[in-house]
Amino acid sequence: MGDINSNGNIGESIADTDNIHSDTIPVGDEHKEQEEPSETEASKDSPMGMYCGCGSTKENDANDNDSYKKSIQKTGQSQLQQPSSNDRMDSDEDSHNQWSKKSKTSRKMASDDEDDNNSQRRSGPLTRSSATLSKLRINFDNSDDENEDSRHYSYSKRDIAEYRNHYPNARSNPKIHDNYDFYTNQIRSHPDGDFIDKIHKNWFGDHRKLEYHHGYIQWLFPLQERGLNISAEPLQKHEIESISKDEKALERLLKSYKLMLDFYGFKLVDENTGEIRRLSGDSYKSRFRNLDTSSHNYLRITRILKCLGEFKYEYLKFPFLEAILRESITENKLSNCLRSCKDYWIETLRSPDERRAIRLYARELVEYRNKGITPPKAHKANRPRPTSAAGAEKTENMSSSKDDDDDPME
């Protein structure tokens, strides 16, 4: 359940197509018109010159025999000087290879310039952006709670309401404890899975397996709803209580989150606040490209965020959303994630104050972008709740009771 229609949203245009510009000003390959081949000494002395009347004089006509002998000698020399067809092909190939090298060099320089421009834009002061991004036509209104304009509003409204209310209609079966057994490293995940500790050790960084294996996500992040993996049982209410009391099991859940963050191109830099950043160097680039083009991962992210909220990790959601919005709107690296972030991921926040705060942050970023201005590096979302794990459990209970009173979606 959850974000089942993210695939349909990806093709939906959120940019002003009348003013489309790339993330950075592209530097094209240098193209020069080919120079006309210069006239060689051989061509000047070729027999064609005589036949066309080029270079003939009355003095030459006066002595036909001498002219004939000289022409024979020069013709032989010109044939020796003119390249053969194979030589010309080799020369053309060498010329093409030289042009290809210059073209690759030009493209590399353009790519380096683009990275430099991106780096300068991220770290520079509040100035007009040198590279104009397309204007966004997406609204992060607080009315989303009561007047969602998504085509899948009816389903998402019911789904998110059940989640925020902790699945009031879900029945807990005390005989089912697969999720607890898995997170206490007693059983393997199925199909084609492993014990949780071995997954954390052996699957970390194995991006190909994490991308194409579709049976592990329901085990790593269980929910109180049936998923697509029939071998994974829904999370039981008594399992939530048991796992929450088991510090080792909770640590494993946090490791699962770190595993998927790395897969998506991020790393957790502060376990207390939940702050995440890009992977160091250029290693984040391939992961961002994969995330921006593999929409089935949007379903996974919805599940991950929901699962974190079932335990003591609700506080991890806000920093994750903040990073996604920054990379999607300001950096334009994860633009395809923006619709799912708006329609589903933000909605997993149980606190209405947090939802309003992150939407305000998104509106600010959109306004900066549409004005062609790069936000200050210090510009962050104003979080309305304690930003540490210590205060998360207390405020989560407070937000749940507040949801019952003033959240129109419930």
Side-chain angles (χ1 to χ4, degrees):
M1 299 181 71
D3 187 7
I4 65 169
N5 294 303
S6 295
N7 292 348
N9 289 332
I10 302 308
E12 191 172 336
S13 174
I14 60 174
D16 186 354
T17 56
D18 293 332
N19 185 22
I20 296 179
H21 301 279
S22 62
D23 184 19
T24 58
I25 299 176
V27 180
D29 296 341
E30 295 180 1
H31 296 283
K32 295 182 179 179
E33 295 192 11
Q34 296 182 355
E35 297 179 356
E36 293 293 335
S38 59
E39 187 178 13
T40 63
E41 290 297 325
S43 64
K44 290 180 181 179
D45 297 330
S46 66
M48 292 300 293
M50 297 192 304
Y51 301 148
C52 298
C54 299
S56 63
T57 62
K58 293 181 180 180
E59 293 179 359
N60 290 336
D61 293 338
N63 195 343
D64 294 335
N65 292 332
D66 293 341
S67 177
Y68 177 75
K69 292 179 181 179
K70 292 180 179 179
S71 66
I72 292 299
Q73 294 175 354
K74 291 183 178 180
T75 300
Q77 293 176 357
S78 66
Q79 290 177 347
L80 291 174
Q81 293 174 359
Q82 287 187 359
S84 64
S85 60
N86 291 334
D87 292 336
R88 285 195 299 269
M89 291 175 63
D90 293 339
S91 177
D92 292 341
E93 184 176 356
D94 292 340
S95 176
H96 173 73
N97 291 336
Q98 291 177 1
W99 184 89
S100 298
K101 291 179 180 179
K102 290 181 179 179
S103 177
K104 291 179 180 178
T105 302
S106 176
R107 284 195 294 269
K108 185 178 185 300
M109 292 174 63
S111 178
D112 294 340
D113 290 342
E114 180 179 349
D115 292 339
D116 292 341
N117 289 337
N118 286 339
S119 178
Q120 291 174 4
R121 184 171 69 252
R122 286 191 297 269
S123 60
L126 181 60
T127 58
R128 286 279 172 181
S129 176
S130 59
T132 305
L133 299 176
S134 58
K135 291 186 178 181
L136 295 179
R137 297 183 299 173
I138 184 170
N139 296 320
F140 289 85
D141 296 331
N142 289 326
S143 59
D144 287 351
D145 277 342
E146 49 190 81
N147 187 24
E148 174 64 64
D149 60 359
S150 170
R151 290 173 298 174
H152 315 297
Y153 167 61
S154 298
Y155 172 81
S156 63
K157 177 181 178 180
R158 292 193 303 270
D159 176 74
I160 206 65
E162 289 181 6
Y163 167 73
R164 290 182 192 162
N165 284 315
H166 303 276
Y167 299 94
N169 298 323
R171 296 181 179 180
S172 182
N173 187 342
K175 296 181 179 181
I176 298 177
H177 42 78
D178 288 8
N179 295 292
Y180 175 77
D181 292 345
F182 174 69
Y183 259 99
T184 52
N185 208 43
Q186 299 181 56
I187 63 172
R188 297 173 180 264
S189 61
H190 295 282
D192 302 323
D194 209 334
F195 292 98
I196 182 67
D197 286 346
K198 289 186 176 181
I199 290 177
H200 291 157
K201 179 180 178 181
N202 301 328
W203 293 26
F204 190 93
D206 191 344
H207 299 147
R208 181 173 180 82
K209 173 172 284 189
L210 294 173
E211 175 66 26
Y212 294 107
H213 192 302
H214 297 288
Y216 68 90
I217 198 70
Q218 293 85 2
W219 287 90
L220 290 185
F221 302 98
L223 296 176
Q224 296 184 65
E225 56 186 70
R226 174 68 66 178
L228 297 178
N229 184 358
I230 60 175
S231 299
E233 290 287 348
L235 181 65
Q236 306 297 308
K237 293 185 182 300
H238 67 85
E239 289 182 308
I240 297 176
E241 183 177 356
S242 299
I243 293 176
S244 298
K245 292 179 179 179
D246 191 320
E247 292 299 325
K248 189 66 176 178
L250 283 178
E251 289 178 6
R252 291 189 176 105
L253 181 57
L254 186 61
K255 285 185 178 180
S256 296
Y257 179 57
K258 293 178 181 179
L259 173 77
M260 297 308 294
L261 282 179
D262 176 81
F263 175 60
Y264 295 136
F266 294 98
K267 61 181 177 181
L268 183 63
V269 297
D270 192 327
E271 293 184 5
N272 288 322
T273 65
E275 180 185 0
I276 66 172
R277 295 175 187 169
R278 291 177 176 178
L279 294 177
S280 58
D282 293 337
S283 56
Y284 77 92
K285 292 183 178 180
S286 62
R287 307 316 316 148
F288 274 23
R289 284 194 297 269
N290 183 75
L291 178 57
D292 202 42
T293 56
S294 302
S295 58
H296 71 95
N297 280 295
Y298 305 162
L299 302 172
R300 292 175 169 181
I301 291 177
T302 302
R303 169 177 283 271
I304 292 170
L305 295 176
K306 284 183 174 181
C307 179
L308 293 176
E310 292 287 39
F311 298 96
K312 298 181 179 181
Y313 295 124
E314 174 76 18
Y315 72 97
L316 295 175
K317 296 180 186 179
F318 194 93
F320 176 84
L321 296 171
E322 184 177 7
I324 290 292
L325 289 172
R326 182 175 61 253
E327 297 293 351
S328 300
I329 300 174
T330 303
E331 303 299 336
N332 204 39
K333 299 295 185 183
L334 299 173
S335 57
N336 288 334
C337 296
L338 196 54
R339 178 61 67 176
S340 288
C341 184
K342 171 185 178 293
D343 288 348
Y344 297 98
W345 304 342
I346 290 177
E347 300 306 314
T348 66
L349 292 170
R350 283 198 165 112
S351 167
D353 291 337
E354 283 199 335
R355 293 198 297 273
R356 295 186 187 104
I358 201 66
R359 291 191 193 116
L360 175 61
Y361 178 68
R363 291 197 300 270
E364 291 171 350
L365 294 183
V366 170
E367 184 177 2
Y368 274 120
R369 170 167 169 164
N370 290 346
K371 290 181 178 180
I373 300 175
T374 301
K377 188 176 181 180
H379 182 68
K380 297 182 180 297
N382 184 17
R383 194 172 188 177
R385 62 181 295 176
T387 57
S388 65
E393 184 176 7
K394 178 180 179 180
T395 53
E396 201 282 331
N397 294 331
M398 294 175 59
S399 66
S400 297
S401 61
K402 189 172 183 179
D403 276 350
D404 297 337
D405 297 333
D406 63 357
D407 194 339
M409 289 196 65
E410 302 171 3

